[in-house]
PDB file of all heavy atoms in Angstrom:
ATOM      1  N   TYR W 238       0.808  -1.224   0.000  1.00 95.00           N
ATOM      2  CA  TYR W 238       0.000   0.000   0.000  1.00 95.00           C
ATOM      3  C   TYR W 238       0.839   1.271   0.000  1.00 95.00           C
ATOM      4  O   TYR W 238       0.296   2.373  -0.146  1.00 95.00           O
ATOM      5  CB  TYR W 238      -0.930   0.004   1.218  1.00 95.00           C
ATOM      6  CG  TYR W 238      -1.915  -1.140   1.225  1.00 95.00           C
ATOM      7  CD1 TYR W 238      -1.786  -2.188   2.122  1.00 95.00           C
ATOM      8  CD2 TYR W 238      -2.976  -1.176   0.326  1.00 95.00           C
ATOM      9  CE1 TYR W 238      -2.688  -3.248   2.136  1.00 95.00           C
ATOM     10  CE2 TYR W 238      -3.879  -2.233   0.322  1.00 95.00           C
ATOM     11  CZ  TYR W 238      -3.733  -3.265   1.231  1.00 95.00           C
ATOM     12  OH  TYR W 238      -4.618  -4.308   1.222  1.00 95.00           O
ATOM     13  N   GLU W 239       2.140   1.128   0.172  1.00 93.00           N
ATOM     14  CA  GLU W 239       2.990   2.314   0.293  1.00 93.00           C
ATOM     15  C   GLU W 239       3.116   3.085  -1.019  1.00 93.00           C
ATOM     16  O   GLU W 239       3.302   4.303  -1.022  1.00 93.00           O
ATOM     17  CB  GLU W 239       4.382   1.897   0.781  1.00 93.00           C
ATOM     18  CG  GLU W 239       4.524   1.787   2.294  1.00 93.00           C
ATOM     19  CD  GLU W 239       3.765   0.620   2.900  1.00 93.00           C
ATOM     20  OE1 GLU W 239       3.323  -0.282   2.144  1.00 93.00           O
ATOM     21  OE2 GLU W 239       3.600   0.586   4.130  1.00 93.00           O
ATOM     22  N   GLN W 240       3.020   2.373  -2.163  1.00 90.00           N
ATOM     23  CA  GLN W 240       3.213   3.012  -3.463  1.00 90.00           C
ATOM     24  C   GLN W 240       1.871   3.454  -4.044  1.00 90.00           C
ATOM     25  O   GLN W 240       1.068   2.630  -4.476  1.00 90.00           O
ATOM     26  CB  GLN W 240       3.923   2.049  -4.422  1.00 90.00           C
ATOM     27  CG  GLN W 240       5.269   1.550  -3.920  1.00 90.00           C
ATOM     28  CD  GLN W 240       6.241   2.675  -3.649  1.00 90.00           C
ATOM     29  OE1 GLN W 240       6.339   3.631  -4.426  1.00 90.00           O
ATOM     30  NE2 GLN W 240       6.978   2.574  -2.544  1.00 90.00           N
ATOM     31  N   PHE W 241       1.642   4.752  -4.063  1.00 89.00           N
ATOM     32  CA  PHE W 241       0.396   5.312  -4.602  1.00 89.00           C
ATOM     33  C   PHE W 241       0.396   5.221  -6.124  1.00 89.00           C
ATOM     34  O   PHE W 241       1.430   5.395  -6.767  1.00 89.00           O
ATOM     35  CB  PHE W 241       0.271   6.769  -4.167  1.00 89.00           C
ATOM     36  CG  PHE W 241      -0.883   7.508  -4.789  1.00 89.00           C
ATOM     37  CD1 PHE W 241      -2.157   7.389  -4.280  1.00 89.00           C
ATOM     38  CD2 PHE W 241      -0.685   8.321  -5.900  1.00 89.00           C
ATOM     39  CE1 PHE W 241      -3.227   8.065  -4.847  1.00 89.00           C
ATOM     40  CE2 PHE W 241      -1.747   9.002  -6.473  1.00 89.00           C
ATOM     41  CZ  PHE W 241      -3.015   8.876  -5.943  1.00 89.00           C
ATOM     42  N   PHE W 242      -0.752   4.915  -6.733  1.00 89.00           N
ATOM     43  CA  PHE W 242      -0.858   4.983  -8.189  1.00 89.00           C
ATOM     44  C   PHE W 242      -2.172   5.643  -8.569  1.00 89.00           C
ATOM     45  O   PHE W 242      -3.134   5.640  -7.806  1.00 89.00           O
ATOM     46  CB  PHE W 242      -0.709   3.600  -8.836  1.00 89.00           C
ATOM     47  CG  PHE W 242      -1.801   2.616  -8.503  1.00 89.00           C
ATOM     48  CD1 PHE W 242      -3.008   2.619  -9.177  1.00 89.00           C
ATOM     49  CD2 PHE W 242      -1.599   1.648  -7.520  1.00 89.00           C
ATOM     50  CE1 PHE W 242      -4.011   1.697  -8.883  1.00 89.00           C
ATOM     51  CE2 PHE W 242      -2.595   0.722  -7.218  1.00 89.00           C
ATOM     52  CZ  PHE W 242      -3.796   0.747  -7.903  1.00 89.00           C
ATOM     53  N   ASP W 243      -2.182   6.216  -9.770  1.00 90.00           N
ATOM     54  CA  ASP W 243      -3.332   6.991 -10.245  1.00 90.00           C
ATOM     55  C   ASP W 243      -3.677   6.534 -11.649  1.00 90.00           C
ATOM     56  O   ASP W 243      -3.069   6.948 -12.622  1.00 90.00           O
ATOM     57  CB  ASP W 243      -2.993   8.485 -10.225  1.00 90.00           C
ATOM     58  CG  ASP W 243      -4.205   9.352 -10.561  1.00 90.00           C
ATOM     59  OD1 ASP W 243      -5.318   8.813 -10.623  1.00 90.00           O
ATOM     60  OD2 ASP W 243      -4.018  10.566 -10.785  1.00 90.00           O
ATOM     61  N   ARG W 244      -4.667   5.659 -11.780  1.00 91.00           N
ATOM     62  CA  ARG W 244      -5.032   5.140 -13.095  1.00 91.00           C
ATOM     63  C   ARG W 244      -6.091   6.021 -13.742  1.00 91.00           C
ATOM     64  O   ARG W 244      -6.615   6.966 -13.144  1.00 91.00           O
ATOM     65  CB  ARG W 244      -5.494   3.694 -12.992  1.00 91.00           C
ATOM     66  CG  ARG W 244      -6.717   3.471 -12.136  1.00 91.00           C
ATOM     67  CD  ARG W 244      -7.049   1.994 -12.112  1.00 91.00           C
ATOM     68  NE  ARG W 244      -8.020   1.676 -11.071  1.00 91.00           N
ATOM     69  CZ  ARG W 244      -9.078   0.912 -11.281  1.00 91.00           C
ATOM     70  NH1 ARG W 244      -9.332   0.432 -12.475  1.00 91.00           N
ATOM     71  NH2 ARG W 244      -9.895   0.631 -10.294  1.00 91.00           N
ATOM     72  N   ILE W 245      -6.436   5.681 -14.972  1.00 92.00           N
ATOM     73  CA  ILE W 245      -7.416   6.461 -15.733  1.00 92.00           C
ATOM     74  C   ILE W 245      -8.782   6.363 -15.063  1.00 92.00           C
ATOM     75  O   ILE W 245      -9.276   5.273 -14.788  1.00 92.00           O
ATOM     76  CB  ILE W 245      -7.496   5.946 -17.180  1.00 92.00           C
ATOM     77  CG1 ILE W 245      -6.164   6.173 -17.896  1.00 92.00           C
ATOM     78  CG2 ILE W 245      -8.625   6.636 -17.943  1.00 92.00           C
ATOM     79  CD1 ILE W 245      -6.092   5.513 -19.254  1.00 92.00           C
ATOM     80  N   SER W 246      -9.358   7.511 -14.796  1.00 93.00           N
ATOM     81  CA  SER W 246     -10.671   7.558 -14.144  1.00 93.00           C
ATOM     82  C   SER W 246     -11.398   8.809 -14.624  1.00 93.00           C
ATOM     83  O   SER W 246     -11.059   9.371 -15.671  1.00 93.00           O
ATOM     84  CB  SER W 246     -10.511   7.537 -12.622  1.00 93.00           C
ATOM     85  OG  SER W 246      -9.577   8.516 -12.193  1.00 93.00           O
ATOM     86  N   ALA W 247     -12.387   9.267 -13.890  1.00 92.00           N
ATOM     87  CA  ALA W 247     -13.256  10.349 -14.358  1.00 92.00           C
ATOM     88  C   ALA W 247     -12.479  11.612 -14.708  1.00 92.00           C
ATOM     89  O   ALA W 247     -12.755  12.255 -15.727  1.00 92.00           O
ATOM     90  CB  ALA W 247     -14.306  10.647 -13.293  1.00 92.00           C
ATOM     91  N   PHE W 248     -11.513  11.981 -13.903  1.00 93.00           N
ATOM     92  CA  PHE W 248     -10.762  13.214 -14.137  1.00 93.00           C
ATOM     93  C   PHE W 248     -10.097  13.190 -15.511  1.00 93.00           C
ATOM     94  O   PHE W 248     -10.216  14.146 -16.300  1.00 93.00           O
ATOM     95  CB  PHE W 248      -9.721  13.401 -13.041  1.00 93.00           C
ATOM     96  CG  PHE W 248      -8.766  14.539 -13.285  1.00 93.00           C
ATOM     97  CD1 PHE W 248      -9.158  15.853 -13.083  1.00 93.00           C
ATOM     98  CD2 PHE W 248      -7.470  14.293 -13.737  1.00 93.00           C
ATOM     99  CE1 PHE W 248      -8.281  16.903 -13.327  1.00 93.00           C
ATOM    100  CE2 PHE W 248      -6.590  15.333 -13.972  1.00 93.00           C
ATOM    101  CZ  PHE W 248      -6.995  16.638 -13.770  1.00 93.00           C
ATOM    102  N   GLU W 249      -9.384  12.108 -15.806  1.00 94.00           N
ATOM    103  CA  GLU W 249      -8.647  12.033 -17.066  1.00 94.00           C
ATOM    104  C   GLU W 249      -9.591  11.991 -18.258  1.00 94.00           C
ATOM    105  O   GLU W 249      -9.358  12.660 -19.284  1.00 94.00           O
ATOM    106  CB  GLU W 249      -7.751  10.787 -17.075  1.00 94.00           C
ATOM    107  CG  GLU W 249      -6.547  10.853 -16.154  1.00 94.00           C
ATOM    108  CD  GLU W 249      -6.878  10.579 -14.703  1.00 94.00           C
ATOM    109  OE1 GLU W 249      -8.018  10.124 -14.430  1.00 94.00           O
ATOM    110  OE2 GLU W 249      -6.021  10.797 -13.836  1.00 94.00           O
ATOM    111  N   ILE W 250     -10.679  11.235 -18.156  1.00 94.00           N
ATOM    112  CA  ILE W 250     -11.609  11.104 -19.279  1.00 94.00           C
ATOM    113  C   ILE W 250     -12.347  12.418 -19.543  1.00 94.00           C
ATOM    114  O   ILE W 250     -12.466  12.862 -20.691  1.00 94.00           O
ATOM    115  CB  ILE W 250     -12.613   9.968 -19.018  1.00 94.00           C
ATOM    116  CG1 ILE W 250     -11.877   8.619 -18.983  1.00 94.00           C
ATOM    117  CG2 ILE W 250     -13.705   9.944 -20.080  1.00 94.00           C
ATOM    118  CD1 ILE W 250     -12.748   7.455 -18.580  1.00 94.00           C
ATOM    119  N   LEU W 251     -12.815  13.060 -18.491  1.00 93.00           N
ATOM    120  CA  LEU W 251     -13.519  14.339 -18.671  1.00 93.00           C
ATOM    121  C   LEU W 251     -12.572  15.422 -19.179  1.00 93.00           C
ATOM    122  O   LEU W 251     -12.969  16.275 -19.988  1.00 93.00           O
ATOM    123  CB  LEU W 251     -14.156  14.766 -17.347  1.00 93.00           C
ATOM    124  CG  LEU W 251     -15.328  13.893 -16.876  1.00 93.00           C
ATOM    125  CD1 LEU W 251     -15.788  14.319 -15.480  1.00 93.00           C
ATOM    126  CD2 LEU W 251     -16.498  13.958 -17.858  1.00 93.00           C
ATOM    127  N   GLN W 252     -11.343  15.390 -18.703  1.00 91.00           N
ATOM    128  CA  GLN W 252     -10.349  16.355 -19.194  1.00 91.00           C
ATOM    129  C   GLN W 252     -10.095  16.146 -20.679  1.00 91.00           C
ATOM    130  O   GLN W 252      -9.998  17.109 -21.456  1.00 91.00           O
ATOM    131  CB  GLN W 252      -9.056  16.209 -18.396  1.00 91.00           C
ATOM    132  CG  GLN W 252      -8.029  17.296 -18.677  1.00 91.00           C
ATOM    133  CD  GLN W 252      -6.779  17.128 -17.826  1.00 91.00           C
ATOM    134  OE1 GLN W 252      -6.161  16.062 -17.841  1.00 91.00           O
ATOM    135  NE2 GLN W 252      -6.435  18.162 -17.083  1.00 91.00           N
ATOM    136  N   GLN W 253     -10.010  14.887 -21.101  1.00 92.00           N
ATOM    137  CA  GLN W 253      -9.795  14.574 -22.507  1.00 92.00           C
ATOM    138  C   GLN W 253     -10.993  15.004 -23.353  1.00 92.00           C
ATOM    139  O   GLN W 253     -10.831  15.559 -24.447  1.00 92.00           O
ATOM    140  CB  GLN W 253      -9.558  13.072 -22.660  1.00 92.00           C
ATOM    141  CG  GLN W 253      -9.155  12.650 -24.058  1.00 92.00           C
ATOM    142  CD  GLN W 253      -7.801  13.216 -24.455  1.00 92.00           C
ATOM    143  OE1 GLN W 253      -6.868  13.218 -23.654  1.00 92.00           O
ATOM    144  NE2 GLN W 253      -7.696  13.701 -25.679  1.00 92.00           N
ATOM    145  N   GLN W 254     -12.193  14.767 -22.844  1.00 89.00           N
ATOM    146  CA  GLN W 254     -13.390  15.193 -23.578  1.00 89.00           C
ATOM    147  C   GLN W 254     -13.441  16.702 -23.726  1.00 89.00           C
ATOM    148  O   GLN W 254     -13.822  17.224 -24.786  1.00 89.00           O
ATOM    149  CB  GLN W 254     -14.636  14.683 -22.854  1.00 89.00           C
ATOM    150  CG  GLN W 254     -14.839  13.180 -22.929  1.00 89.00           C
ATOM    151  CD  GLN W 254     -16.039  12.714 -22.129  1.00 89.00           C
ATOM    152  OE1 GLN W 254     -16.639  13.489 -21.387  1.00 89.00           O
ATOM    153  NE2 GLN W 254     -16.402  11.443 -22.277  1.00 89.00           N
ATOM    154  N   GLN W 255     -13.045  17.411 -22.684  1.00 85.00           N
ATOM    155  CA  GLN W 255     -13.040  18.872 -22.736  1.00 85.00           C
ATOM    156  C   GLN W 255     -12.026  19.374 -23.763  1.00 85.00           C
ATOM    157  O   GLN W 255     -12.313  20.304 -24.531  1.00 85.00           O
ATOM    158  CB  GLN W 255     -12.726  19.443 -21.356  1.00 85.00           C
ATOM    159  CG  GLN W 255     -12.824  20.959 -21.288  1.00 85.00           C
ATOM    160  CD  GLN W 255     -12.582  21.479 -19.868  1.00 85.00           C
ATOM    161  OE1 GLN W 255     -12.215  20.731 -18.974  1.00 85.00           O
ATOM    162  NE2 GLN W 255     -12.763  22.767 -19.680  1.00 85.00           N
ATOM    163  N   GLN W 256     -10.859  18.763 -23.797  1.00 88.00           N
ATOM    164  CA  GLN W 256      -9.843  19.152 -24.767  1.00 88.00           C
ATOM    165  C   GLN W 256     -10.330  18.869 -26.192  1.00 88.00           C
ATOM    166  O   GLN W 256     -10.079  19.649 -27.117  1.00 88.00           O
ATOM    167  CB  GLN W 256      -8.546  18.407 -24.493  1.00 88.00           C
ATOM    168  CG  GLN W 256      -7.853  18.833 -23.214  1.00 88.00           C
ATOM    169  CD  GLN W 256      -6.660  17.971 -22.881  1.00 88.00           C
ATOM    170  OE1 GLN W 256      -6.385  16.978 -23.559  1.00 88.00           O
ATOM    171  NE2 GLN W 256      -5.924  18.345 -21.838  1.00 88.00           N
ATOM    172  N   GLN W 257     -11.030  17.751 -26.342  1.00 88.00           N
ATOM    173  CA  GLN W 257     -11.569  17.394 -27.654  1.00 88.00           C
ATOM    174  C   GLN W 257     -12.594  18.419 -28.107  1.00 88.00           C
ATOM    175  O   GLN W 257     -12.595  18.835 -29.277  1.00 88.00           O
ATOM    176  CB  GLN W 257     -12.193  16.005 -27.576  1.00 88.00           C
ATOM    177  CG  GLN W 257     -12.808  15.527 -28.875  1.00 88.00           C
ATOM    178  CD  GLN W 257     -13.454  14.168 -28.726  1.00 88.00           C
ATOM    179  OE1 GLN W 257     -13.037  13.367 -27.907  1.00 88.00           O
ATOM    180  NE2 GLN W 257     -14.483  13.926 -29.517  1.00 88.00           N
ATOM    181  N   GLN W 258     -13.473  18.849 -27.205  1.00 83.00           N
ATOM    182  CA  GLN W 258     -14.473  19.856 -27.553  1.00 83.00           C
ATOM    183  C   GLN W 258     -13.818  21.175 -27.930  1.00 83.00           C
ATOM    184  O   GLN W 258     -14.228  21.843 -28.885  1.00 83.00           O
ATOM    185  CB  GLN W 258     -15.425  20.044 -26.378  1.00 83.00           C
ATOM    186  CG  GLN W 258     -16.343  18.857 -26.123  1.00 83.00           C
ATOM    187  CD  GLN W 258     -17.147  19.005 -24.845  1.00 83.00           C
ATOM    188  OE1 GLN W 258     -17.000  20.007 -24.135  1.00 83.00           O
ATOM    189  NE2 GLN W 258     -17.982  18.016 -24.538  1.00 83.00           N
ATOM    190  N   GLN W 259     -12.785  21.550 -27.179  1.00 83.00           N
ATOM    191  CA  GLN W 259     -12.068  22.795 -27.498  1.00 83.00           C
ATOM    192  C   GLN W 259     -11.406  22.704 -28.863  1.00 83.00           C
ATOM    193  O   GLN W 259     -11.397  23.667 -29.641  1.00 83.00           O
ATOM    194  CB  GLN W 259     -11.026  23.075 -26.413  1.00 83.00           C
ATOM    195  CG  GLN W 259     -11.619  23.443 -25.062  1.00 83.00           C
ATOM    196  CD  GLN W 259     -10.570  23.575 -23.979  1.00 83.00           C
ATOM    197  OE1 GLN W 259      -9.398  23.217 -24.171  1.00 83.00           O
ATOM    198  NE2 GLN W 259     -10.972  24.089 -22.821  1.00 83.00           N
ATOM    199  N   GLN W 260     -10.856  21.522 -29.174  1.00 85.00           N
ATOM    200  CA  GLN W 260     -10.219  21.321 -30.464  1.00 85.00           C
ATOM    201  C   GLN W 260     -11.226  21.447 -31.596  1.00 85.00           C
ATOM    202  O   GLN W 260     -10.966  22.085 -32.617  1.00 85.00           O
ATOM    203  CB  GLN W 260      -9.560  19.946 -30.500  1.00 85.00           C
ATOM    204  CG  GLN W 260      -8.696  19.689 -31.723  1.00 85.00           C
ATOM    205  CD  GLN W 260      -7.434  20.523 -31.696  1.00 85.00           C
ATOM    206  OE1 GLN W 260      -6.829  20.710 -30.653  1.00 85.00           O
ATOM    207  NE2 GLN W 260      -7.049  21.036 -32.846  1.00 85.00           N
ATOM    208  N   GLN W 261     -12.401  20.858 -31.403  1.00 85.00           N
ATOM    209  CA  GLN W 261     -13.438  20.927 -32.428  1.00 85.00           C
ATOM    210  C   GLN W 261     -13.933  22.354 -32.619  1.00 85.00           C
ATOM    211  O   GLN W 261     -14.228  22.779 -33.747  1.00 85.00           O
ATOM    212  CB  GLN W 261     -14.591  19.997 -32.066  1.00 85.00           C
ATOM    213  CG  GLN W 261     -14.243  18.517 -32.149  1.00 85.00           C
ATOM    214  CD  GLN W 261     -15.317  17.616 -31.603  1.00 85.00           C
ATOM    215  OE1 GLN W 261     -16.225  18.081 -30.918  1.00 85.00           O
ATOM    216  NE2 GLN W 261     -15.226  16.315 -31.897  1.00 85.00           N
ATOM    217  N   GLN W 262     -14.014  23.101 -31.520  1.00 82.00           N
ATOM    218  CA  GLN W 262     -14.427  24.500 -31.619  1.00 82.00           C
ATOM    219  C   GLN W 262     -13.408  25.310 -32.402  1.00 82.00           C
ATOM    220  O   GLN W 262     -13.768  26.177 -33.207  1.00 82.00           O
ATOM    221  CB  GLN W 262     -14.617  25.079 -30.223  1.00 82.00           C
ATOM    222  CG  GLN W 262     -15.840  24.546 -29.502  1.00 82.00           C
ATOM    223  CD  GLN W 262     -15.918  25.025 -28.062  1.00 82.00           C
ATOM    224  OE1 GLN W 262     -15.035  25.757 -27.603  1.00 82.00           O
ATOM    225  NE2 GLN W 262     -16.962  24.608 -27.352  1.00 82.00           N
ATOM    226  N   GLN W 263     -12.132  25.003 -32.179  1.00 84.00           N
ATOM    227  CA  GLN W 263     -11.085  25.715 -32.918  1.00 84.00           C
ATOM    228  C   GLN W 263     -11.157  25.408 -34.406  1.00 84.00           C
ATOM    229  O   GLN W 263     -10.976  26.292 -35.255  1.00 84.00           O
ATOM    230  CB  GLN W 263      -9.714  25.327 -32.368  1.00 84.00           C
ATOM    231  CG  GLN W 263      -9.435  25.859 -30.977  1.00 84.00           C
ATOM    232  CD  GLN W 263      -8.127  25.348 -30.419  1.00 84.00           C
ATOM    233  OE1 GLN W 263      -7.413  24.594 -31.066  1.00 84.00           O
ATOM    234  NE2 GLN W 263      -7.805  25.769 -29.199  1.00 84.00           N
ATOM    235  N   VAL W 264     -11.458  24.159 -34.730  1.00 84.00           N
ATOM    236  CA  VAL W 264     -11.602  23.778 -36.136  1.00 84.00           C
ATOM    237  C   VAL W 264     -12.769  24.517 -36.771  1.00 84.00           C
ATOM    238  O   VAL W 264     -12.672  25.037 -37.888  1.00 84.00           O
ATOM    239  CB  VAL W 264     -11.792  22.249 -36.253  1.00 84.00           C
ATOM    240  CG1 VAL W 264     -12.159  21.865 -37.689  1.00 84.00           C
ATOM    241  CG2 VAL W 264     -10.541  21.520 -35.813  1.00 84.00           C
ATOM    242  N   GLN W 265     -13.884  24.579 -36.037  1.00 84.00           N
ATOM    243  CA  GLN W 265     -15.066  25.263 -36.557  1.00 84.00           C
ATOM    244  C   GLN W 265     -14.808  26.751 -36.762  1.00 84.00           C
ATOM    245  O   GLN W 265     -15.213  27.342 -37.759  1.00 84.00           O
ATOM    246  CB  GLN W 265     -16.256  25.047 -35.614  1.00 84.00           C
ATOM    247  CG  GLN W 265     -17.582  25.591 -36.135  1.00 84.00           C
ATOM    248  CD  GLN W 265     -18.017  24.890 -37.416  1.00 84.00           C
ATOM    249  OE1 GLN W 265     -17.842  23.682 -37.561  1.00 84.00           O
ATOM    250  NE2 GLN W 265     -18.551  25.651 -38.357  1.00 84.00           N
TER     251      GLN W 265
END
C-alpha cells in the first residue's frame, strides 16, 4: 500500500473530452 498509483478515471476522461471539444471548436 505504500506506493500510490493513479489510473485512468473520471478526471482524465472528462479532461480529454473537454480538450476534444475545445479542439473541435477551434476547427469550426
Side-chain angles (χ1 to χ4, degrees):
Y238 298 109
E239 274 70 14
Q240 303 301 318
F241 173 82
F242 65 82
D243 186 10
R244 61 181 167 133
I245 296 171
S246 50
F248 172 77
E249 288 79 11
I250 294 174
L251 291 174
Q252 189 178 55
Q253 187 65 43
Q254 290 177 352
Q255 185 177 7
Q256 291 173 355
Q257 179 182 331
Q258 290 173 359
Q259 291 174 350
Q260 188 70 39
Q261 291 172 346
Q262 289 174 359
Q263 290 175 0
V264 171
Q265 186 63 39

